[in-house]
Amino acid sequence: MRAYLDNAATTRLDPAVLEAMLPLMTEDFGNPSSIHAHGRKVRTVIERARKTVATLLHTSPAEIFFTSGGTEADNTAIRSSIETYGLKHAITSPLEHHAVLHTLEHLASRGIIKLSLVEVDEKGRLNLAHLEELLRTHPDTLVSLMHGNNEIGNLLDLETVGNLCREHNAVFHSDTVQTMGHYRHDLQQLPVDFIVGSAHKFHGPKGVGFLYANANTKSGRGPIHPFVHGGPQERNMRGGTENVYGIVGLAKALEIAYAEMDQHRQYIESLKVRMIDQLRGKLDGVAFNGCSDDLTQSLYTVLNVSLPSSEMSDMLLFNLDIAGISASGGSACTSGSNLGSHVLSALPGNDADRGAIRFSFSKYNTPEEVDYVVNTLVELFQREQEAVK
Ligand SMILES: Cc1ncc(COP(=O)(O)O)c(C=O)c1O
């Protein structure tokens, strides 16, 4: 068996998405900036895709900008809002994806901003009292806090945090890469200035994403300047000939994700519960990192398993790979090493000797795959115990 359980890293392309993309790779090859018929046809296709995304998210097409993926969308929100509004301070958490953390750390290292980190507890929950304290003492701030954590799955209540930002006149960006296409985002209601999406996380193509940027920003500061300068594409917000087939694939993938969301959520959640129950029943000493075993507080797509410390902790992923299982993870960084997970390292009291594996599920996984993974893990630990005897 070859089981793919790394869907937080990337997902399999939906065949219907490929079908929607193919004509843009063949007969509809015009440059959307050209004013002749070939160009106009493709321009129409892009604008239709923008309208699809905007409609699903309850916003206006004028607020959707296509990018090369989640990383560029995060960079645009962060760098352009700091530059356009002259912000001198930002607040984030140590659990963010590097697309956010490294961008903010770079700006702090250049003296452009001062950076504050919100405290987190041993389960990776943000200390909202600390966030409020930081907001109170730092007016004119950018807050960048992710919606769903890609490693431990923790979910953030965007409404609560967004309202706190409003109260303190802060700009609010949320990295929603892991929730886009898996949860509904109603931008008429959500108090956010910027959110992002990346097509390959919801069965679309790689190398394409989008930024939602509120036209005036809900914080009242007006539109941001572009991050990628060049031609007038994306209404002067993002230079460069559009990734036309990517954009079409993104819109199709999001459309499918919304149409099938409730059904897939139920199915995928049942796979996660199956894995939690079986691991608890069959593997002594198993635990779960972050809030990932709490269905109300974590992504239904992600389970971060903490395994008893053992001689083979470093070899777990390798052994699973040999057994035909693709997963990812890594324990907390040990001192002096920069390998491992910066997310687990940031959790107070996390034991770096324990193995950590992130399993992440999609609509293409099966209960049989879950059973196979659990049995393989149990066997690996049994074999090790026998070797020690
Ligand atoms: C939370 C989060 N943010 C940002 C990204 C980056 O997205 P992309 O791969 O589209 O650049 C990822 C993907 O790994 C992610 O999981």
Side-chain angles (χ1 to χ4, degrees):
M1 181 180 285
R2 186 80 232 175
Y4 182 78
L5 283 145
D6 201 12
N7 291 281
T10 197
T11 55
R12 176 189 289 264
L13 194 76
D14 190 309
V17 173
L18 177 63
E19 206 178 304
M21 291 167 67
L22 281 173
L24 283 309
M25 294 174 176
T26 50
E27 66 263 32
D28 298 332
F29 61 86
N31 185 325
S33 295
S34 303
I35 53 169
H36 49 60
H38 279 88
R40 287 198 308 275
K41 183 165 185 197
V42 179
R43 159 74 39 222
T44 309
V45 168
I46 292 185
E47 293 317 317
R48 204 183 309 135
R50 197 187 313 281
K51 187 151 196 300
T52 301
V53 173
T55 306
L56 293 171
L57 302 183
H58 295 182
T59 188
S60 137
E63 297 180 320
I64 302 296
F65 300 93
F66 293 114
T67 65
S68 65
T71 302
E72 187 193 317
D74 282 335
N75 268 264
T76 305
I78 292 170
R79 300 190 64 139
S80 292
S81 66
I82 286 173
E83 192 215 88
T84 310
Y85 309 139
L87 305 176
K88 298 280 180 262
H89 183 256
I91 300 171
T92 190
S93 91
L95 312 181
E96 298 298 309
H97 190 273
H98 284 148
V100 167
L101 212 46
H102 283 171
T103 306
L104 287 167
E105 283 169 357
H106 169 74
L107 295 172
S109 76
R110 300 295 303 267
I112 295 167
I113 53 160
K114 186 177 169 295
L115 185 60
S116 301
L117 297 181
V118 184
E119 290 166 6
V120 298
D121 70 9
E122 72 291 347
K123 284 195 161 293
R125 291 171 295 212
L126 301 189
N127 179 345
L128 292 186
H130 184 227
L131 171 62
E132 192 160 16
E133 165 81 24
L134 288 170
L135 282 165
R136 205 159 353 96
T137 46
H138 297 88
D140 284 333
T141 277
L142 169 70
V143 173
S144 180
L145 292 169
M146 71 203 308
H147 188 197
N149 186 281
N150 51 303
E151 289 196 34
I152 53 176
N154 285 23
L155 282 169
L156 183 72
D157 181 348
L158 289 188
E159 197 142 338
T160 302
V161 172
N163 285 330
L164 266 183
C165 291
R166 290 286 161 274
E167 274 170 40
H168 295 276
N169 196 31
V171 177
F172 182 32
H173 159 247
S174 182
D175 177 344
T176 48
V177 164
Q178 289 291 338
T179 52
M180 188 59 63
H182 301 283
Y183 292 79
R184 292 175 203 283
H185 296 90
D186 179 355
L187 289 165
Q188 271 196 338
Q189 303 296 329
L190 268 186
V192 294
D193 296 303
F194 304 102
I195 65 168
V196 303
S198 174
H200 73 107
K201 307 289 185 177
F202 49 90
H203 305 289
K206 293 167 183 59
V208 62
F210 68 91
L211 169 70
Y212 157 79
N214 186 272
N216 282 303
T217 81
K218 289 179 181 160
S219 53
R221 288 177 168 87
I224 51 170
H225 302 153
F227 171 58
V228 176
H229 294 265
Q233 292 88 354
E234 295 298 298
R235 304 177 310 289
N236 292 312
M237 259 293 285
R238 197 262 182 188
T241 301
E242 296 87 338
N243 174 359
V244 181
Y245 27 84
I247 290 169
V248 167
L250 182 152
K252 183 71 182 172
L254 198 62
E255 208 173 12
I256 296 171
Y258 266 73
E260 299 177 345
M261 196 177 288
D262 299 334
Q263 171 200 344
H264 284 152
R265 178 178 182 152
Q266 210 178 13
Y267 177 66
I268 294 167
E269 206 162 77
S270 77
L271 297 177
K272 176 167 160 167
V273 169
R274 188 181 183 96
M275 188 177 272
I276 294 173
D277 289 349
Q278 289 202 26
L279 283 172
R280 283 206 174 114
K282 293 186 178 178
L283 198 59
D284 281 348
V286 76
F288 300 95
N289 290 309
C291 296
S292 68
D293 60 335
D294 180 340
L295 295 177
T296 62
Q297 288 199 63
S298 68
L299 293 165
Y300 57 88
T301 46
V302 169
L303 183 66
N304 195 308
V305 182
S306 169
L307 293 151
S309 59
S310 86
E311 293 285 309
M312 63 169 178
S313 282
D314 292 343
M315 298 291 285
L316 271 170
L317 284 171
F318 178 72
N319 287 334
L320 287 179
D321 194 14
I322 301 272
I325 298 162
S326 297
S328 68
S331 9
C333 320
T334 40
S335 54
S337 149
N338 59 5
L339 297 171
S341 157
H342 72 281
V343 173
L344 295 181
S345 299
L347 303 183
N350 188 269
D351 183 353
D353 289 335
R354 288 179 68 95
I357 303 178
R358 175 190 69 181
F359 295 106
S360 44
F361 311 91
S362 84
K363 60 182 180 180
Y364 293 125
N365 289 121
T366 63
E368 290 71 33
E369 287 176 332
V370 170
D371 297 353
Y372 178 65
V373 169
V374 172
N375 291 337
T376 305
L377 271 176
V378 170
E379 248 175 58
L380 283 172
F381 276 86
Q382 271 170 356
R383 241 189 282 152
E384 192 192 42
Q385 273 175 355
E386 274 155 27
V388 173
K389 271 184 207 159

